[in-house]
Amino acid sequence: MELADKLSILGLSEQKVKETLKNESLSKLLGSIADQARENGELNKSAGNLLYNLGTKLPRQFHNHLPFLVNYIANGGINQEAKLAAAIKFVQNHPSGNLNKVEFEKSCGIGVEVTQDEIESAVASVIEKQKKAILNQRYQFNTGPLMGQVRAALPWADSRKVKEEIDLQILTLLGPKREEDLVKPAKAKAEKKEKPENPTANVTQPTKQPLTMAEFLKTINFHAPGENHKTDGYVITENTERLLKEHLRITGGQVRTRFPPEPNGILHIGHAKAININFGYAAAHNGVCFLRYDDTNPEKEEEKFFIGIRDMVEWLGYKPFKITHSSDYFQQLYEWAVVLIKKRKAYVCHQKPEEVRGRDPPPSPWRDRPVEESLQLFEDMKNGKFEEGEATLRLNLTLEEGKVDPVAYRIKFVTHHCTGDKWCIYPTYDYTHCLCDAIEHITHSLCTKEFQSRRSSYYWLCNEVGTYCPVQWEYGRLNMNYTVVSKRKIAKLIDSGNVRDWDDPRLFTLTALRRRGFPSEAINNFCASLGLTGAQISIHPDALEAHVRDVLNVTAHRAMVVLEPLKVVITNFPSEAAITVSVPNIPGNDDKGTHNVIFDREMWIERSDFREEEEKGYRRLTPQQSVGLRHCGYVIKVQEVVKDSSGNVDHLKVSCEPATESNKPKAFIHWVAQPIKCEIRNYERLFKHECPEDPAVVPGGFLTDINTNSLSISLGMADISVKNAKVYTKFQFERTGFYSVDPDSSPDFLVFNKTVGLKEDKGKN
């Protein structure tokens, strides 16, 4: 019989058969189920549907129970969806594979037939409880909950019969539908809000709060602790049930995750997503998250990286449950390697690294060497009897990606950050991370998509050494346009002088983003907005900057700072002494308080806020046009344009008068008096192209794509409110953008980094 004919036996339509045949593995499975079922005679449509659902819903690690379940469906024991769901749940709850038939039939309602009288009685009971609401709402009453209540009382009742009985008893109670019952209820219209006639300009508007990562991750349906075996693809052994019970005893059913960075570089924006997912998922489920340094490459590890990683995790607002190192478990990892050798699952190999690189390397001639020989050679490796590269320990398996016999241990005569010179053999990441997860009883091993091809080796290693096996879940990696995040490439940027260090604000390392003034809250909100999908995504920096603006707009105090100063002298200043002006820290939010600035006869404005020649659409200061000064309530008019010997404007002499309805100017500008001089660093994209690493776009390599105008430095003048500001304090420079105090600042001289521009650059005309 053709496979298509077998699928038709299960009740699939012709179109559904064609669609199913496109999935080779599913089609083959369903064909096998059809063959088993046919041995019991002809199938009715209901049984066919149940068999199809069985094939699509039962995780593949439980497929050894298919003959058992198919037999119950074919013989009519399982004759409805509720019983099939109960049967699948029962099988999943017994990972050892030993199914007690009596318990199974009791749990799944095998042989239970609910009579019509029982259905009528149960329906009458739930309708009586809701009688008042039904009489009031009549046929607008939602009967869905009634179905649920009857099913709770009679789990094996036929759903169709229950629905028919509910409809019948409601008809009996209410009688035939009246004309008003046929009218759909009108939707309540929201009241139209009137717009205020004169909305206050520059007032900070409240924004809808985005979901935090923890709030978002509450909606993600991963497995419950201890139910590892129910996840698709999990490998079940004879020890699984015992190990999971022991795991639950140790953890108390608590969610455990881990963030396992290599301490050989600074974390970047992609790591921020990983930190948020791992710490966020634990927080969402009242669990804990370990910070585990994967310190298996001692020649690349430095103390500053260990410290920097922890600092960034805590800066993002997370506190590790425990800080551990892969090296904490080196002894256990070594002992497990010996176990693998004894089981012929690992062997010592002498192929050179260059021999095993690339696709289809030659098979190792030492793959079948005697166990005792590999044990002795591995001991010799540990005792320093081989030079680096002369021997490795390899695992006896093939990864999904086709890689044969990956390396588990290699020789490195390098002093280790934690263990000193105790070891000269070091485990690889592929060997280490799954076993460290097992040791720490991690419930959810959350990692990026490129590790999906190593999931089988993850489960294989845990099962072969006989330890608890966590579940690996993958998510899509985050890439950012207009940057590079590779440690090697950032090092080249530093060495070539294109950036200053790992925290240069033009980079997308986390230390760089902090230095530039990005709030950690904004980075977390950005990560939450990306969701949790398997797709690798490349994001434009504008998306991150939008979240930065959202946070800074309601948190950064306002300040007036002139970036290109033009001196202005007020000839009729209204006071003998300088005037103190009160300015709101955040307009529209009185709770954020105020600060004082000085208004004096000698002041500075932006050079771009004055033009000698009047231009159409230009609304600021000209010899013919007055302009308002923000916050102080005055309007200034040009009396004289004073020029230097070269004919350039040196300063302006102006007169001032209080702003009134009669002299209301077209625009208001910012200004400073008795200012503080400061350095302003403005940034643009470091690279010219979105993908500087793409040879098709940048054939000369990423170093040839540098934007030489990515940094500009100028001297500015700030109002006195910024004096004594601490490093990383954020401000919104009015009409200019958001800026942050740089660590290069001193008590006598502030340096500001531009964080992001404003959404709308108001007042530019």
Side-chain angles (χ1 to χ4, degrees):
M1 182 181 288
E2 294 293 327
L3 184 54
D5 296 327
K6 295 178 183 179
L7 297 180
S8 297
I9 290 174
L10 300 182
L12 274 62
S13 66
E14 185 177 345
Q15 181 60 34
K16 187 68 174 177
V17 168
K18 289 179 180 179
E19 292 176 5
T20 306
L21 286 171
K22 295 176 183 178
N23 187 330
E24 185 178 347
S25 59
L26 177 59
S27 299
K28 187 176 179 180
L29 174 64
L30 292 174
S32 174
I33 289 174
D35 285 338
Q36 294 176 45
R38 285 168 54 225
E39 295 176 4
N40 293 277
E42 291 296 320
L43 295 174
N44 58 41
K45 185 176 180 180
S46 175
N49 289 337
L50 291 171
L51 290 169
Y52 176 82
N53 289 337
L54 173 65
T56 55
K57 292 180 179 179
L58 184 69
R60 62 179 179 269
Q61 63 265 37
F62 298 103
H63 282 184
N64 59 310
H65 295 298
L66 277 173
F68 178 77
L69 297 173
V70 168
N71 186 58
Y72 271 97
I73 295 174
N75 289 332
I78 296 176
N79 55 9
Q80 55 179 265
E81 282 292 337
K83 292 182 180 180
L84 176 60
I88 291 175
K89 183 178 180 180
F90 185 90
V91 168
Q92 288 181 311
N93 287 337
H94 293 78
S96 65
N98 298 320
L99 304 182
N100 183 298
K101 188 175 179 180
V102 174
E103 290 181 4
F104 172 81
E105 292 186 349
K106 182 179 179 181
S107 297
C108 303
I110 306 297
V112 176
E113 293 297 333
V114 179
T115 67
Q116 185 62 33
D117 287 344
E118 289 175 311
I119 293 175
E120 290 175 7
S121 175
V123 170
S125 176
V126 298
I127 285 182
E128 181 62 31
K129 293 176 183 177
Q130 300 293 330
K131 187 174 181 179
K132 186 176 180 180
I134 295 171
L135 289 171
N136 183 46
Q137 299 175 35
R138 292 185 58 78
Y139 286 100
Q140 306 298 340
F141 183 83
N142 180 13
T143 60
L146 300 183
M147 282 284 294
Q149 293 169 37
V150 174
R151 292 302 302 272
L154 301 174
W156 314 123
D158 186 290
S159 298
R160 180 180 56 80
K161 292 180 179 179
V162 171
K163 179 66 168 64
E164 289 174 351
E165 185 60 30
I166 289 175
D167 291 343
L168 177 61
Q169 292 197 27
I170 286 182
L171 177 63
T172 303
L173 177 64
L174 301 178
K177 287 186 178 181
R178 303 170 186 167
E179 187 175 339
E180 60 266 27
D181 294 325
L182 302 175
V183 179
K184 291 184 178 180
K187 292 183 179 179
K189 291 184 178 180
E191 290 185 14
K192 191 174 182 180
K193 295 182 179 179
E194 293 185 6
K195 293 184 179 179
E197 292 183 7
N198 296 305
T200 306
N202 301 304
V203 171
T204 302
Q205 299 298 328
T207 56
K208 185 179 179 181
Q209 291 298 313
L211 285 178
T212 65
M213 181 58 84
E215 289 169 341
F216 163 69
L217 289 172
K218 285 180 181 178
T219 67
I220 301 300
N221 294 319
F222 289 143
H223 70 282
E227 295 186 357
N228 305 30
H229 58 288
K230 295 184 180 181
T231 59
D232 193 34
Y234 192 82
V235 179
I236 296 174
T237 71
E238 59 185 12
N239 297 317
T240 297
E241 190 168 12
R242 173 181 61 81
L243 290 169
L244 288 177
K245 287 180 180 178
E246 177 69 10
H247 161 72
L248 286 174
R249 185 188 65 79
I250 292 170
T251 65
Q254 184 181 50
V255 166
R256 288 189 173 194
T257 61
R258 83 288 178 269
F259 173 58
E262 297 178 73
N264 59 5
I266 298 297
L267 302 182
H268 55 71
I269 187 65
H271 290 113
K273 180 179 179 181
I275 291 169
N276 269 279
I277 288 173
N278 280 282
F279 281 91
Y281 187 77
H285 297 86
N286 299 314
V288 297
C289 183
F290 290 71
L291 170 59
R292 184 201 311 142
Y293 295 109
D294 179 48
D295 53 345
T296 56
N297 285 307
E299 74 275 17
K300 297 181 180 179
E301 294 156 7
E302 297 180 39
E303 176 69 16
K304 67 177 182 180
F305 296 137
F306 285 87
I307 296 172
I309 288 169
R310 180 174 181 175
D311 284 350
M312 288 300 97
V313 168
E314 293 179 347
W315 175 63
L316 289 176
Y318 295 111
K319 182 175 177 60
F321 166 68
K322 191 175 182 182
I323 295 176
T324 61
H325 304 73
S326 294
S327 57
D328 297 342
Y329 313 118
F330 275 180
Q331 183 62 40
Q332 178 63 75
L333 295 174
Y334 172 79
E335 291 173 7
W336 275 336
V338 171
V339 170
L340 292 171
I341 294 172
K342 290 179 177 178
K343 295 178 68 175
R344 291 190 173 276
K345 301 299 182 182
Y347 62 94
V348 173
C349 177
H350 303 287
Q351 285 180 294
K352 302 297 181 185
E354 56 272 17
E355 292 181 61
V356 296
R357 288 196 186 107
R359 291 189 171 275
D360 300 321
S364 172
W366 293 279
R367 199 172 200 258
D368 298 318
R369 76 189 323 162
V371 168
E372 291 303 320
E373 190 176 314
S374 278
L375 286 171
Q376 183 59 55
L377 291 171
F378 189 49
E379 182 73 11
D380 292 344
M381 286 172 60
K382 181 173 78 76
N383 293 332
K385 295 183 179 180
F386 288 102
E387 294 297 321
E388 289 189 19
E390 284 189 347
T392 59
L393 183 72
R394 296 177 67 180
L395 302 175
N396 206 332
L397 84 156
T398 301
L399 302 177
E400 289 103 321
E401 62 190 18
K403 186 176 181 181
V404 178
D405 296 359
V407 172
Y409 272 88
R410 68 274 201 229
I411 300 167
K412 291 179 181 289
F413 291 103
V414 181
T415 300
H416 190 276
H417 175 80
C418 292
T419 61
D421 295 320
K422 180 179 179 180
W423 298 90
C424 65
I425 55 171
Y426 292 97
T428 60
Y429 182 83
D430 283 343
Y431 176 76
T432 305
H433 88 283
C434 58
L435 296 178
C436 289
D437 283 352
I439 292 170
E440 293 176 351
H441 281 273
I442 300 303
T443 57
H444 299 76
S445 179
L446 308 173
C447 55
T448 48
K449 196 72 173 178
E450 61 262 34
F451 292 101
Q452 185 173 11
S453 62
R454 289 168 167 78
R455 194 197 295 178
S456 64
S457 67
Y458 186 108
Y459 294 160
W460 181 88
L461 270 167
C462 291
N463 289 329
E464 286 296 340
V465 301
T467 189
Y468 159 75
C469 183
V471 178
Q472 177 174 303
W473 294 93
E474 302 91 12
Y475 56 87
R477 184 175 181 171
L478 168 62
N479 294 318
M480 187 69 71
N481 293 333
Y482 291 103
T483 192
V484 295
V485 294
S486 157
K487 302 179 184 78
R488 179 178 57 84
K489 291 178 179 177
I490 291 177
K492 284 187 176 182
L493 288 171
I494 296 170
D495 294 341
S496 62
N498 286 297
V499 297
R500 289 172 45 175
D501 208 336
W502 292 89
D503 64 348
D504 188 295
R506 290 166 290 180
L507 296 173
F508 278 80
T509 60
L510 293 184
T511 51
L513 296 178
R514 178 178 65 174
R515 184 167 190 167
R516 188 169 159 186
F518 283 32
S520 57
E521 180 186 351
I523 294 174
N524 293 344
N525 291 345
F526 167 70
C527 291
S529 73
L530 299 176
L532 196 65
T533 67
Q536 180 170 302
I537 51 177
S538 294
I539 299 293
H540 195 286
D542 286 353
L544 173 57
E545 291 176 4
H547 286 276
V548 172
R549 283 191 201 90
D550 287 344
V551 172
L552 292 181
N553 196 44
V554 295
T555 58
H557 287 191
R558 295 346 184 220
M560 292 192 290
V561 180
V562 174
L563 305 185
E564 296 181 58
L566 173 62
K567 184 178 176 181
V568 175
V569 177
I570 302 175
T571 58
N572 64 334
F573 191 73
S575 172
E576 288 296 322
I579 299 172
T580 299
V581 176
S582 179
V583 177
N585 287 329
I586 298 179
N589 189 341
D590 295 340
D591 293 340
K592 294 295 183 179
T594 61
H595 62 270
N596 293 329
V597 300
I598 301 299
F599 180 44
D600 206 349
R601 68 181 65 251
E602 192 174 90
M603 55 185 285
W604 283 261
I605 65 172
E606 291 286 358
R607 189 166 288 273
S608 61
D609 284 339
F610 170 74
R611 289 184 186 174
E612 280 192 89
E613 302 294 330
E614 193 167 3
E615 297 179 17
K616 185 178 180 181
Y618 187 78
R619 298 184 300 166
R620 288 162 284 160
L621 189 62
T622 71
Q624 298 80 29
Q625 182 172 267
S626 62
V627 74
L629 300 178
R630 289 180 61 75
H631 304 300
C632 68
Y634 281 90
V635 176
I636 59 173
K637 295 179 181 179
V638 175
Q639 287 186 320
E640 182 183 353
V641 178
V642 182
K643 299 186 178 182
D644 60 20
S645 57
S646 301
N648 299 315
V649 177
D650 180 72
H651 67 276
L652 304 176
K653 291 183 179 180
V654 303
S655 63
C656 75
E657 61 182 6
T660 64
E661 281 299 318
S662 60
N663 68 354
K664 187 175 181 180
K666 293 180 180 179
F668 285 82
I669 62 174
H670 63 283
W671 50 273
V672 293
Q674 297 187 19
I676 297 169
K677 291 184 178 180
C678 56
E679 182 177 298
I680 307 294
R681 298 174 182 174
N682 288 310
Y683 300 97
E684 295 180 12
R685 308 280 182 237
L686 180 59
F687 295 99
K688 300 174 186 176
H689 294 91
E690 279 193 357
C691 303
E693 299 170 280
D694 186 349
V697 179
V698 187
F702 72 99
L703 288 176
T704 67
D705 197 47
I706 297 293
N707 173 16
T708 55
N709 297 316
S710 60
L711 169 63
S712 61
I713 300 176
S714 62
L715 288 176
M717 293 181 172
D719 70 47
I720 61 170
S721 70
V722 304
K723 189 176 182 180
N724 301 321
K726 295 180 180 179
V727 171
Y728 302 132
T729 301
K730 286 85 172 167
F731 292 95
Q732 183 190 120
F733 291 178
E734 296 203 27
R735 301 174 61 238
T736 304
F738 295 98
Y739 287 77
S740 175
V741 180
D742 187 84
D744 287 344
S745 298
S746 68
D748 301 320
F749 189 74
L750 290 175
V751 177
F752 288 98
N753 290 317
K754 185 171 185 178
T755 306
V756 290
L758 301 175
K759 270 188 177 181
E760 294 179 321
D761 216 353
K762 294 182 179 179
K764 283 298 182 184
N765 290 323

